[in-house]
Every structure is written in structure tokens, then in C-alpha cells.
Amino acid sequence: MIVDGKPYLILGAQINNSSSWASTLPQVWPALEDIHANTLEAPVYWEQMEPKQGSFDFANVDLLVNGAREHHLHLVLLWFGTWKNGQAHYVPEWVKTEPQKYPREVSAYGKILDVLSPNSGANLEADRSAFVALMRHLKAIDGAQHTVIMMQVENESGSIGAVRDYSAAANQQFEGEVPSSLTEALHTPKGTWSKVFGADADERFAAYSTTSYINQVAAAGKAEYALPMYCNVWVTYPVHALENRDHASPGQEYPSGGAQQDNINLWKAAAPAIDILAPDFYSSDHAFYHQIIATYDRPDNPLFIPETLLSKDFGSNFFYALGHGAIGFSPFGIDYTHWTLADDKIPAHLSENFALFRPMASEVAQLNFDGKLQTAVEQAGETRQRLHFEGVDAIVSFGFPQRDGEQPRGTADLSGRAMVAQLGTMEFLVTGFDASVSFELATAPGAKLRNEQIEILRAEEGQYVKGAWQSSRIWNGDQTDRGLNFHRGNTSVVRIRLHSLPLYDESMRLRPQQN
Ligand code: DGJ
């Protein structure tokens, strides 16, 4: 992610759904400051923005842009258009009340759903022209200043209530052939949807209908103002182990047709105007989190977590995503409207992470982009991890106290986490929580003996100020003797220079033993 020519790490905060209003924004800004975010993710409501067809009210958008500037934040705007969590709650009244003109999805049993049909040209045209108007307005007010850095097109798209639209018009499309552009991209034989996709035909048809629609909305918006665009995803969560089935039900347990794990290839093929498919993550299952990161971190898909829980795992999950090259990470529900945050307070486990990274967000983004950055995150039963860099290994041990001769004890809540980035052959930028970090020369594969050792030349605590490193003190003694020690509540960043020297004085080692 490059903003104004410089790498940018999104330390995001998404506000509650009904918070992009003049009456609630005063409760937004202090929360964003307290969590040390550099980017606000805020919704734009189609119903508010186009109360009458063709007549636009950008008051809320302008408040967001002006407020973000005043508070030194960038903005990611979330287009709550045709889809919001698999339903059509944010479409304007003139759309809601005219289902003949703006057709709804119909279930297999004929029920009219609270979802606009993605198989309708009229729906597409209405959404697209509103989004185009929004992008035109943003270009006019912000094209020179770049407060808004990215757009989310729709919100958790797909349909709740049916696996696909069963209206007569959609059925007719479903009976036809899968477009050859899609079969070619997915390397499948040609044929009807049922023939090509078998049991998954309905969901794949829904995905193709949804993604083609959104692609056209995004492409038309980009033609006005070419900001990066992404779609956030309601992922498919594991079904309970005791239930005798292996997959959640599309259209019931998640919106059918969204870019959930099994639909990524299809979405990538059919929505070139969407730059990122970004998983929302609302679970405390660590193994599942790692799976989701592995699934969405692809050469054709930058990793971005646009929404996540405020749980205790926040810090570890942030470090984990960063270690997999994430361009950004954002908790959901950050404002003081008495909604998501208990007592309208930002807990320390949320704010400490961004507080540490905000001053060096650009440097961290660059190091990550260059492949120089790694993270270690404590896992159950694994209190020590080794990170391999060019020539040097970093050994990260979790939990304190750390006693000589004992294995590190880990932490009770698995809060240990560290970031190590290689600045030069023997120079590293290091930080973390509940962790110590020490260095060893990397042992060549197959080598039996190590002939060199490593020493600290200098370990400076400090911070980056406008791109320049400023040292505040030198760490030594207890702060460095058993590794660089980053305790709970840490706010330190350390730049360490090492050097190597031979392990033995060869003349002594070879001296014949004396009686
Ligand atoms: C995911 C949605 O994208 C958000 O808008 C919000 O509804 C959250 N879920 C609520 O938990």
C-alpha cells in the first residue's frame, strides 16, 4: 500500500455501523486517538447519500473527510450499497419500495427476500450510478489531498435467505452456459452451471452474479477516481465438530456468493477491478485464524484484515498478520457510542499495539514490502521460536521471568509476540510484548561446529521521527544480557547492531594439554 509515494501500514479502526453521522462523530474522534489508529474506516450510507433518485447529499461524507483531516487520519470509506451483511438494509427507500423495478432475490420456495437480485440490470445501474457520483465527489474534494486512500465496495456481499436467486430471470441465466471467460480462467470444461460445478452450482452461480455486479460498480467508480478498491468477506466458519457435516450452509450461515474461501478463485477471475479480497475475522480459534491468513495471503491478493474482534487476541493476531505481509489491520466497533466498547474505554490490549507502531508505520511497511520483517507469536506449548534471517537467527522467548538453565515459561494468556526486521547484515529493528529477543549466527546446514560468535555492539532504544531514527538511550546490562527484554506494557523499540568474531583463539585451542 503506497500513499503519496510512501509505504503505508493501515493501523485501522472501524466505527460502529450507525456512527457516520454529525450526531455521533464527536464520539468517534477521541476513540480513534486513544487507540492510536492512523486510518478511520467509516461507512457511507446509500440511503442517506441518495434520498431521491439522482439527488445526492454528501454532507456525511464531507464531515468524515474534514474530520479525518483535522485529526490527522486517513480514511477508508465503506460503500454500504446493494449489500450489507448479505442483505439490502442500506438501499434507499425509492429502491426498497419498488420491487417491481428493483427486483429482490426470491428463494426456491418463492419467498421475496431482503436482498436485491444481483441478476438484475436495473439494480446494478442504480447502485453503479450512486457509487460513480460518490467517486466523482471524492475526486473533487479530495483528489489533490488523498485523505481517502481506499474504498470498500459493498459490505460482506452475498445473499442471506437463499443460496441463489430463483426468480424467473435468474433461473433463465442459470440454465445457460457458464461464460467461457470463467471456465477458461478456472480451467474447467465448458457447460451449464450444473454440469460444470455439480453440487456447488447454485453457490458458484450466486458468486459469479455477485462478483460481476460488484466488478462493474467498482470499475465505473475507478473510471471517475482510481482509488484502490477491496471487498470485505464474511468467511465460512468451521461447523461445530459434533455436527456430522463438513461445511456451513451458504445463504444460511454465511451470505451465498461472497468471496468466502471456496469462491476466491472465481472472484479473482471475474472481478479484476477489485484489488483485494479481505477477510473479516470474528473468532478466537487460533488455528482457524492461521488458516484464513494462509488462504487470503496470495501473490494475487494483498493481505488486509478490515474488521476483527476486540478480544485479548487482538495484539497477537495483529503481529501474526504483519508477519505475513499484511498491509493493514483494523478492529471493529471503535467509537464512544456505548455500543461495542465496554464502558466506552479503549482497553490497553488494543491501544498498546498501534501506539508502538504508529510512529514507525511507514518504516515497518517498507521493511515488510522488502521482505525484511518477521514476527513471532506465542502458541500454546511453544514458548520459544527461532526466526531465520540472512546470516543471523533471532531467538524469541515468551514470558517472564526468564531464569538461567530453565526453558522460557510462556504467558498464561498467550500474549507473547515480537517483531524483528533486518536493517543491515548485522543490524535489526526489534520490538514486542512479553518476549525477549536474542541473536545467534545462523548455523550453515550440515555444519557440526560453529567457529564464530556474535556480540552486541550497541542497542539503542528510540523511535523514528519523520523518517529519521532518534535514539533516547542505550540498553545494556539486565536489559540486554538475556536478550532484549520487552515486558508486558512495553512501549520500546530497539535498534541493535551486532558483530561477529571467532569463537576460539586457535593458538590456545591447539595448545597441547599439559599434565
Ligand atoms: C461484520 C460487518 O461487516 C460489520 O458491518 C458489522 O455488522 C459487524 N459484522 C458486527 O459484528
Side-chain angles (χ1 to χ4, degrees):
M1 183 81 188
I2 306 289
V3 175
D4 291 331
K6 282 206 307 203
Y8 188 81
L9 174 66
I10 298 174
L11 304 173
Q14 185 164 148
I15 55 178
N16 288 298
N17 290 162
S18 307
S19 294
S20 284
W21 291 94
S23 59
T24 37
L25 282 174
Q27 283 115 275
V28 163
W29 309 117
L32 268 278
E33 192 173 328
D34 292 348
I35 198 172
H36 301 281
N38 61 11
T39 309
L40 165 65
E41 292 179 8
V44 176
Y45 317 117
W46 186 9
E47 62 178 349
Q48 176 278 325
M49 199 191 84
E50 195 181 9
K52 281 197 196 136
Q53 190 168 20
S55 128
F56 296 102
D57 172 359
F58 295 114
N60 294 33
V61 172
D62 293 348
L63 280 174
L64 287 168
V65 172
N66 292 332
R69 287 178 186 163
E70 244 170 68
H71 294 88
H72 310 290
L73 294 165
H74 279 292
L75 256 181
V76 170
L77 291 177
L78 321 174
W79 173 237
F80 284 12
T82 296
W83 286 278
K84 163 70 173 79
N85 299 15
Q87 293 186 303
H89 293 174
Y90 284 84
V91 307
E93 275 188 44
W94 53 268
V95 173
K96 276 185 188 154
T97 51
E98 288 217 61
Q100 302 299 334
K101 198 164 169 196
Y102 303 107
R104 304 293 184 87
E105 278 202 1
V106 181
S107 81
Y109 308 98
K111 184 170 189 311
I112 296 176
L113 301 177
D114 186 1
V115 187
L116 293 192
S117 170
N119 304 97
S120 146
N123 292 343
L124 168 62
E125 189 39 42
D127 186 325
R128 178 169 51 192
S129 52
F131 190 67
V132 161
L134 172 60
M135 295 312 293
R136 189 176 298 151
H137 179 71
L138 289 177
K139 186 173 185 185
I141 62 162
D142 196 46
Q145 208 167 328
H146 308 158
T147 311
V148 183
I149 56 172
M150 183 153 70
M151 300 298 292
Q152 178 187 293
V153 191
E154 315 293 344
N155 191 88
E156 293 189 343
S157 62
S159 67
I160 290 288
V163 65
R164 68 169 173 88
D165 183 11
Y166 290 87
S167 66
N171 282 344
Q172 204 187 347
Q173 291 177 32
F174 182 76
E175 294 309 323
E177 297 263 308
V178 177
S180 53
S181 55
L182 187 61
T183 46
E184 275 160 29
L186 297 180
H187 308 293
T188 59
K190 289 179 182 301
T192 60
W193 289 90
S194 302
K195 187 167 164 241
V196 173
F197 294 107
D200 295 323
D202 294 316
E203 189 184 357
R204 298 294 174 264
F205 173 76
Y208 183 74
S209 308
T210 308
T211 187
S212 312
Y213 183 119
I214 293 179
N215 186 56
Q216 292 177 72
V217 172
K222 280 187 170 177
E224 287 296 325
Y225 184 28
L227 286 180
M229 299 203 182
Y230 75 97
C231 288
N232 66 329
V233 183
W234 179 332
V235 298
T236 307
Y237 288 86
V239 281
H240 195 282
L242 293 178
E243 292 180 25
N244 193 15
R245 60 191 177 126
D246 61 5
H247 202 278
S249 310
Q252 290 176 35
E253 288 158 297
Y254 65 91
S256 181
Q260 54 94 352
Q261 300 88 309
D262 301 324
N263 283 336
I264 298 178
N265 288 339
L266 187 153
W267 267 70
K268 281 286 168 191
I274 295 299
D275 302 295
I276 310 178
L277 304 176
D280 293 343
F281 193 78
Y282 287 93
S283 156
S284 45
D285 178 339
H286 293 157
F288 181 54
Y289 180 65
H290 298 173
Q291 248 179 50
I292 287 292
I293 296 280
T295 305
Y296 286 85
D297 172 17
R298 311 173 11 142
D300 61 356
N301 196 59
L303 183 62
F304 175 47
I305 310 292
E307 286 182 41
T308 193
L309 284 179
L310 306 182
S311 72
K312 285 272 180 205
D313 297 329
F314 176 81
S316 298
N317 286 353
F318 166 63
F319 272 69
Y320 190 87
L322 196 62
H324 286 79
I327 63 156
F329 193 85
S330 172
F332 176 83
I334 305 301
D335 59 42
Y336 295 149
T337 57
H338 310 282
W339 189 259
T340 310
L341 282 169
D343 307 326
D344 273 356
K345 269 208 196 106
I346 306 279
H349 69 263
L350 292 179
S351 56
E352 63 190 6
N353 296 281
F354 289 1
L356 196 59
F357 280 84
R358 187 166 177 178
M360 57 175 177
S362 185
E363 286 75 18
V364 166
Q366 181 72 59
L367 287 162
N368 219 356
F369 183 76
D370 294 340
K372 303 275 185 202
L373 181 152
Q374 298 187 50
T375 60
V377 174
E378 184 181 359
Q379 309 297 325
E382 195 189 23
T383 58
R384 177 170 278 161
Q385 283 176 33
R386 183 178 281 266
L387 303 173
H388 302 290
F389 289 92
E390 224 182 293
V392 178
D393 286 353
I395 295 104
V396 183
S397 308
F398 301 111
F400 293 102
Q402 295 182 358
R403 300 221 167 90
D404 293 344
E406 288 179 12
Q407 285 297 306
R409 54 188 58 202
T411 63
D413 53 359
L414 299 180
S415 58
R417 54 203 191 272
M419 179 207 81
V420 185
Q422 190 157 27
L423 302 172
T425 329
M426 283 290 188
E427 189 164 11
F428 294 85
L429 185 72
V430 192
T431 192
F433 295 94
D434 283 325
S436 77
V437 181
S438 55
F439 292 88
E440 264 180 20
L441 281 170
T443 311
K448 292 210 177 70
L449 284 175
R450 185 180 284 135
N451 290 321
E452 281 185 297
Q453 57 185 314
I454 212 164
E455 282 179 347
I456 298 176
L457 283 180
R458 190 179 172 94
E460 287 180 2
E461 182 185 314
Q463 61 170 345
Y464 284 96
V465 179
K466 292 195 180 123
W469 176 255
Q470 283 187 4
S471 162
S472 50
R473 60 172 172 157
I474 293 178
W475 273 21
N476 209 333
D478 292 344
Q479 282 64 57
T480 60
D481 285 347
R482 289 168 185 76
L484 304 172
N485 288 311
F486 300 98
H487 289 265
R488 183 159 286 203
N490 167 59
T491 54
S492 307
V493 182
V494 173
R495 209 171 148 151
I496 185 167
R497 262 194 302 126
L498 309 160
H499 81 144
S500 66
L501 70 167
L503 191 53
Y504 297 106
D505 177 332
E506 290 300 325
S507 65
M508 302 274 286
R509 190 152 78 113
L510 298 178
R511 198 162 55 170
Q513 276 197 341
Q514 295 184 353
N515 290 325

